Structures are given as structure tokens and as C-alpha cells.
Amino acid sequence: MEPVKVGLLGLGTVGGGTVTVLSRNADEIARRAGRGIRITHAAAKTYDPDKIAGLDGIEVCDDAFAVVDNPEVEIIIELIGGYNPALELVMKAIENGKHVVTANKALIAMHGNEIFAAAQEKGVTVAFEAAVAGGIPIIKAMREGLTANHIEWLAGIINGTGNFILTEMRDKGRDFAEVLAEAQALGYAEANPTFDVEGIDAAHKLTILGSLAFGIPLQFDKTYTEGITRITRQDVAYAEHLGYRIKHLGLARKTAAGIEMRVHPTLIPRKRLIANVDGVMNAVLVKGDAVGPTLYYGAGAGAEPTASAVVADLVDVARALTTDPENRVPHLAFQPAHLSDLRVVDIEEVTTAYYLRVHAEDKPGVMAKVAGILGDAGISIEAIQQKEPEEGETHVPLVMITHPVVEGNMNQAIEKIEALDTINGSVVRIRLEELGG
Ligand code: HSE
């Protein structure tokens, strides 16, 4: 059988990695796919041919639309990133009856519903394994491997830059800003590092995972997003003393009220496997009713790890070229006609435990007052510690762990604590999840 012909848009880090992996492992991949897979055309505005092994035989131009319109090409790989012109290119490829493989999490999270509807209509596939957690086959696991289960919740470390920063803050007692500068220099961070540290990149990925888990349309705008920019090395150290680790988690959970979708710094017990995922590595913990907790770990970024996911999608598409569109794995795991309208709940309705830190005057009755406000709001304290004051400080840090409570109640209690004249500044609050099986 003739090799399937592929057009590649973008020859950056992941594009280059894809060319290299596909040419280096061509025979192994063909044995698995049942036929060869060959990139025949590529488009890139700029690229460095000396840095990409395997470019020979690929016709490279600078017009992505020319590749998308080329009748020889059956599959388009979109690795340009961003919304424009990526959206237009993907829609055009679909209109031209081509299958698409993309690593573009922002595009899928924001425009996936319309992209999948168009693909459905045209009978083509849009595959996006590389969009979430780089090389970890988490889309495959959730769409196929866990298909027997009611997914109850999932929790993921799905941004390597944020995980690198928190790991360095913990291990070396370094400050946030200093480690961020290093992450940028090492090339881990997105072009706009705000996407990493403010949780937007993780929210794109969580939006996709939440839809796959619960069969709901993609709703990026309803995903609560909070970054790690306000996490101090003191909080990282205090959490550690209490037996917890601070991770920037994406959490999706089905509750009686609806679906929780949230990205925020989270204390998790140090003894959990996922708490020990360090540096730029990613991991996703998925709890299914039949299988129990399952953990997926690996590189969340980088040329060849991400290429591994892109090529896996290519093989899937190549294998399915001759199948009826109705018999293919649905884009969002559930059949499009059976998506659910379960609502995504507001963050005020979420139930979670908390780590709280206040700066209190060191005199009798202050701790009791704070505890009283929490008690009156029905919030039970699990642990409370007074820490040494920072040099030159008159107030002392009081650190607390609470039992789970509805966030709206906690907000009211925090307002009252902040109004006490014995408390300095605002209350630091970090959500806490046990992530038990
Ligand atoms: N900037 C992302 C991260 C890369 O740090 O995880 C891949 O999405």
C-alpha cells in the first residue's frame, strides 16, 4: 500500500521533533500502522534546516494554506499554535476533507466544539493527544482505556513550568520570581509565561480533560483559574512541615451540584505518588468507579515527547482511514448526540479543605478569636500552628488546616478575620485536597 501523505504546518520545536521521530522510526511505525506515513509537504515562516534531522524529501514552503489546499495530502498536522491562523487552517483542512492532528490546546479548549462539529459533518477526525500533557497518552487512556467507568474525578499536574517553579521553591528555598526567570531561560515556559504561571495553559488542558471525563461540551470560560504567582517560599515550607506539598493542580470532579472545573495551587498529602512528581514532569490521576485511582506520568513538553503523541495520533488516523466515520472513537469520548448539559459549578459552590495563614498580634485571645470566627461559620479546624515571626516583624504567622467547607462560607469567614484589628493584611488561603482513593 502507498504511504499516507501528510502535510505539516510549523517546523518549530514540536514540528522538528515530529519530522525526526517519524523518519528515525519509520519502519517501526509502518509495521504498526499497516502502511508508511510520510510527511511530503511542510510550511514554516522560519526554521533552521540544520537543526532538524529527517527533512530530506519534504517540500517546504512558507504558505500554510497551500499545504492545506494540496490535494495530495490526506492528513494535516497543525503545530503552529495560537488561534490565528490556526483556526482558519484547521477549518479549511476539514472543509477540504482532510484529517487533522494538532497539539494546540488553546485552540481545542476555545474552539473545539465548532471544530469537532465541522469534522463530524465532513466525516474526518481531529486528533489532539499532544494538546494535553505532552507525551503522556492521557487522551487515549480516558477515551478508550477507561471507557467502562464513571469517572468520579481527576487531578493533574499539567503545566511543567509551574511544577518546576514550585519544586525549586521547595527544594532550594528560592523565590518565585527568580525561578521563573530560570524556567524562561531553560525554554520551559510558553512564549507568554503568564499562560503558565497564571494557570491559563493548565486550564486549557483541564477543559479538555473535563469534557472527556464527563461528556460535556468544552467550556473554557467556566473553568476557574488561579495562578501560583502569590505562593511564597514560606507557604511552601509551612505546608511541608504539616505533611503537605503545594502543587498547581487542575481538578475536575462530578458532584451532586454539577461539575467542578478548577485550576489553582493546592496542598496535597506528601505521601501521594502525584505529590512526588517534580520538576517539569506532568502527571494525571484519574479516579474511575470500576478501576479505582489510576496515575499517568511522563514528560509534559519537549520536542520528542510531544512528537511521540503527534505520531501516535497519525498512526490512529492512518489505521482508521478506511473505517466509517460513525465507527471511529468520538472526539470527546462520548457520542456527540449524547453529550450532557450538566452545569459547571461556580467556585463559591465548591467544597474543599483549606490551608490558611494570617499575620496575628502575638497576645492572648487572638488565636481564640480567629478559631471562633471559623467555628461560628461551621468550619472545623484540623491543625493550627504558630510560627516564628519573620525578621523585623511584630506579628506572627498563624497557620491552619481546615476540614472541607463550601467556599462561599469560607469567603465570609475570611472577611471577618481580615476585619479583626489584631490581624495584619489579608488572609492567605490555599485549597487542600486529600486525593484519596
Ligand atoms: N508550557 C507548557 C508547560 C508546555 O510548561 O507545561 C506544554 O504545554
Side-chain angles (χ1 to χ4, degrees), residues 105 131 158-162 188-190 196 201 205 280 282 300-301:
K105 55 235 161 170
I158 43 182
N159 182 271
T161 304
Y188 298 150
E190 294 289 302
D196 295 300
D201 177 74
K205 296 165 181 167
V280 285
N282 281 199

Side-chain angles (χ1 to χ4, degrees), residues 98-153:
K98 299 184 195 307
H99 302 273
V100 176
V101 172
T102 179
N104 194 332
K105 55 235 161 170
L107 184 72
I108 296 297
M110 295 288 281
H111 298 288
N113 297 324
E114 62 175 294
I115 291 172
F116 297 146
Q120 197 72 26
E121 179 91 27
K122 205 72 194 176
V124 296
T125 298
V126 176
F128 51 95
E129 182 66 73
V132 182
I136 306 175
I138 185 65
I139 307 285
K140 187 90 171 169
M142 293 193 58
R143 262 198 329 207
E144 299 178 49
L146 298 178
T147 205
N149 290 262
H150 271 288
I151 307 288
E152 295 172 1
W153 54 264

